[in-house]
Amino acid sequence: MSTTSIPAPRTGYSRHKSTRSKFEMFAWLFMRVSGIVLVILIFGHLFVNLWAGEGVQAIDFGFVAGKWASPFWQIWDLLMLWLAMLHGTNGLRTIIMDYAEKPGTRMSLQVILYIASAIVIVLGTLVIFTFDPCPAGADPALLASFCSAA
Amino acid sequence: MAKASTGTLYRGNEGMWSWVAHRVTGVGIFFFLLVHVLDTALVRVSPEAYNAVIGTYKTPVMAFGEIALVAAIAFHAFNGLRVILVDFSKSGPKNQKKLFWGVIIVWLIIMIAFVPRQLMHTFGG
């Protein structure tokens, strides 16, 4: 009696090319990778700004100047800004795709989302890089102590 | 909400509610983030403008807003890690309900630690 071989299902045959786009695969992966990095960045941010010392009560212009005097916190905040905005924008894109059914609604909500995100990312990046911790003519009492050091 | 006309095994259990909460907290955090980048941008206007706006974050009402924010972020973070485990770990899908209760326990620990700390910062003590 000869053995019959049965071909494994779903091999060597497909009706049409896969419609999965590389972009959606990338977006799915990005949510997971950026998510892990954001857990570290945001819990670090919350620890320093809300938990340590006086918490939120200690935050003022001088506090921000003190942090951004160090490239460490500049890069931390820059990375947090970009990753959080892209992660959030893609999350809202997913939600728009799920609930907005009319093509016009889908399109206009997405346009509003992308414009708002682009403005916030560009504005935030400019603020981090053009920030002046010791603006000329400002009340010295509001500035970080290193501004008045000779 | 997905529009299944018939009941499914998934509906109404830990899997669905964690998914709903993940969306709700995600949207909330996103809109806070838009406002937060704008208020921080005031450091480019003047120290007075920034201090005036950040001063509103120090009021008792906003102290509870910050508790809600931390609650939303902590849930979204831990449930996000749960989603990653379900996607990438071999035993993840089988244990998704246990993982959900793990998320709730870690979230509770964070909140039990943060809430008194935040109230002490705000009301003194």
Side-chain angles (χ1 to χ4, degrees), chain A residues 93-130:
Chain A
R93 181 184 71 94
T94 307
I95 289 174
I96 292 170
M97 294 304 194
D98 275 0
Y99 302 118
E101 293 182 356
K102 290 181 197 152
T105 317
R106 284 162 82 93
M107 182 56 78
S108 38
L109 285 176
Q110 279 189 81
V111 169
I112 294 167
L113 172 68
Y114 300 147
I115 290 173
S117 300
I119 289 172
V120 168
I121 291 174
V122 171
L123 178 72
T125 305
L126 284 175
V127 167
I128 292 172
F129 285 119
T130 66

Side-chain angles (χ1 to χ4, degrees), chain A residues 28 32 36 50-51 53-57 59-61 64 84-85 88-89 95 98-99 101 123 130-131 142, chain B residues 1 3 19 23 27 30 33-34 37-38 41 43-44 47-48 50-51 54 58 83-84 87-88 113 117 121:
Chain A
W28 178 88
R32 279 139 188 87
I36 292 173
L50 290 185
W51 180 278
E54 302 286 304
V56 69
Q57 300 297 323
I59 302 176
D60 59 12
F61 185 88
V64 178
M85 282 305 298
T89 302
I95 289 174
D98 275 0
Y99 302 118
E101 293 182 356
L123 178 72
T130 66
F131 176 65
L142 300 177
Chain B
M1 196 81 43
K3 285 173 185 158
W19 173 85
R23 292 209 151 180
V27 172
F30 182 76
L33 179 58
L34 296 185
V37 174
L38 295 179
V43 295
R44 289 291 286 119
E48 286 84 359
Y50 180 77
N51 287 351
I54 210 70
K58 302 175 186 178
V83 169
I84 291 172
D87 283 347
F88 291 109
R117 177 97 183 160
H121 284 150

